[in-house]
Amino acid sequence: MKHAAHKAMARTTSHAISSQSHLSLFSLIPGGIGSHGAHGSHSVKAAAMARTTSGDVAEVAVSRDLAKRFNAVAPVTRRSIRESAQAAQRKSMVLTSSSLAALVGAAATAMSFSNPMASVAAAERDPATTTTELKRVESQAVSRSEDRTDLSANGSSSVSAQTTNQGSWQLSGTNTDVKVDGMTRATANNPQVATWLDADQADLPHGFDPNHATGDSGNAYEFSQCTWWVYVRRHQLGLPAGSHMGNGNMWGNSARALGYWVDHTARHVGDIMVFAAGQDGTDATYGHVAIIEKINPDGSVETSECGSVMNGKTYSHTYSAASVAQHDIIHY
């Protein structure tokens, strides 16, 4: 009967603990463990459990601090345990949803910076997306022209407003005239010819090529002849001369064929003066050629010439302007 009493007592105690949902799982015993205080009985039975017979609650003697911790964290009923588990599960779901939303937001932001149009298209496909349209407030718009301040209104004498584009250009320094004729750039390969070409722009034949064929392949003329001297003197002046121009009276036509400028006016030192056969007392068969060495103000010219009887020595003649106009004059 002693053992039966113990079993009945255990069932009564277990029922009492499970049925009291409003009581703490552990109750404090004055003085701590045992009925004799912290230094009371040290028997296994006294230290393990103290039962009371005044109520239907079994109390286990534990320290005050440990009892407070147990009562704070341990649910005392199955319902409390279930509600605690459900609350923990909801908290876990909220944390997971928040983390996922943060990751999706970061990815969407990066995609919008890299491809703004894709973000717009995604927003249009998502029915849950709310689009906010910013509208310009027209009632407070101010025209830029109305908002500007006239600088001349400050009263400063150094500030002026430009009201017209009319005006004139002026050159600095003492040279205020622009000579258009002097701005022409010659295209002649020969530097001496290029200088004369600029000065003769108004008189040049139409289509004249300053780089025409010269026919110059070396002095092929007989020594001391008039043609020999003309070739030598032209080269001394830096000018070309044809090597096979024929007799003196043939030089005008030969020069035209090669592209030289031929007229009846003396223009520059080095021009070739052509004499027809017998003209001005020259040879009646072969004619003559001479180099113009000087042009006088009255239009007359002074020449240098040579002939077969001169043995390479030269002589000079002066011809009037009227006489010059009767001859072919070869330029360049």
Side-chain angles (χ1 to χ4, degrees), residues 29-63:
I29 300 300
I33 300 174
S35 60
H36 299 286
H39 302 283
S41 175
H42 295 281
S43 65
V44 176
K45 182 176 180 180
M49 181 182 294
R51 296 186 178 88
T52 60
T53 57
S54 59
D56 56 351
V57 178
E59 295 183 356
V60 178
V62 295
S63 65

Side-chain angles (χ1 to χ4, degrees), residues 120 123-124 126 128-136:
V120 175
E124 293 178 352
D126 190 358
T129 302
T130 302
T131 303
T132 302
E133 181 180 0
L134 300 178
K135 295 184 178 180
R136 183 177 179 180

Side-chain angles (χ1 to χ4, degrees), residues 2-135:
K2 182 179 180 179
H3 296 288
H6 281 293
K7 292 181 180 180
M9 188 63 175
R11 286 195 299 268
T12 303
T13 303
S14 174
H15 176 73
I17 292 174
S18 62
S19 62
Q20 298 299 322
S21 60
H22 63 282
L23 295 178
S24 299
L25 180 60
F26 299 96
S27 298
L28 298 176
I29 300 300
I33 300 174
S35 60
H36 299 286
H39 302 283
S41 175
H42 295 281
S43 65
V44 176
K45 182 176 180 180
M49 181 182 294
R51 296 186 178 88
T52 60
T53 57
S54 59
D56 56 351
V57 178
E59 295 183 356
V60 178
V62 295
S63 65
R64 182 182 299 273
D65 293 336
L66 184 60
K68 288 183 178 182
R69 294 179 184 178
F70 282 153
N71 290 331
V73 299
V76 295
T77 64
R78 294 181 179 177
R79 180 178 180 181
S80 300
I81 294 173
R82 185 173 60 255
E83 290 177 352
S84 177
Q86 291 176 354
Q89 184 179 7
R90 286 194 298 271
K91 182 178 181 180
S92 177
M93 293 178 61
V94 169
L95 293 176
T96 303
S97 300
S98 300
S99 300
L100 182 59
L103 291 175
V104 172
T109 302
M111 292 176 62
S112 64
F113 279 110
S114 60
N115 190 357
M117 298 307 298
S119 300
V120 175
E124 293 178 352
R125 290 194 301 269
D126 190 358
T129 302
T130 302
T131 303
T132 302
E133 181 180 0
L134 300 178
K135 295 184 178 180

Side-chain angles (χ1 to χ4, degrees), residues 94-309:
V94 169
L95 293 176
T96 303
S97 300
S98 300
S99 300
L100 182 59
L103 291 175
V104 172
T109 302
M111 292 176 62
S112 64
F113 279 110
S114 60
N115 190 357
M117 298 307 298
S119 300
V120 175
E124 293 178 352
R125 290 194 301 269
D126 190 358
T129 302
T130 302
T131 303
T132 302
E133 181 180 0
L134 300 178
K135 295 184 178 180
R136 183 177 179 180
V137 180
E138 300 293 343
S139 60
Q140 296 180 357
V142 179
S143 173
R144 291 186 61 190
S145 60
E146 296 175 357
D147 192 43
R148 292 174 179 171
T149 302
D150 189 0
L151 295 177
S152 61
N154 296 331
S156 175
S157 59
S158 61
V159 179
S160 60
Q162 180 178 349
T163 58
T164 178
N165 288 330
Q166 296 179 356
S168 60
W169 290 92
Q170 294 182 353
L171 298 177
S172 61
T174 58
N175 296 326
T176 57
D177 295 331
V178 177
K179 296 180 179 180
V180 179
D181 294 340
M183 298 174 65
T184 303
R185 177 171 177 80
T187 58
N189 295 332
N190 187 305
Q192 182 61 60
V193 173
T195 302
W196 291 339
L197 194 65
D198 283 339
D200 297 337
Q201 283 293 318
D203 299 323
L204 285 175
H206 177 71
F208 174 72
D209 181 9
N211 300 314
H212 59 81
T214 63
D216 192 343
S217 60
N219 196 343
Y221 303 102
E222 185 177 352
F223 173 73
S224 196
Q225 295 289 341
C226 63
T227 51
W228 169 84
W229 169 246
V230 167
Y231 184 93
V232 170
R233 183 57 177 158
R234 287 275 292 186
H235 276 263
Q236 290 177 353
L237 296 172
L239 298 170
S243 300
H244 304 281
M245 304 281 282
N247 299 325
N249 61 346
M250 301 170 62
W251 275 54
N253 291 333
S254 297
R256 289 187 181 93
L258 289 172
Y260 288 87
W261 178 16
V262 182
D263 62 2
H264 304 287
T265 303
R267 299 180 183 276
H268 307 287
V269 172
D271 286 351
I272 303 172
M273 187 172 178
V274 180
F275 295 80
Q279 187 178 14
D280 293 339
T282 61
D283 188 90
T285 302
Y286 304 111
H288 185 64
V289 287
I291 292 292
I292 297 177
E293 297 287 349
K294 182 179 180 180
I295 302 174
N296 298 315
D298 61 356
S300 63
V301 299
E302 298 177 13
T303 65
S304 65
E305 307 173 32
C306 191
S308 58
V309 298

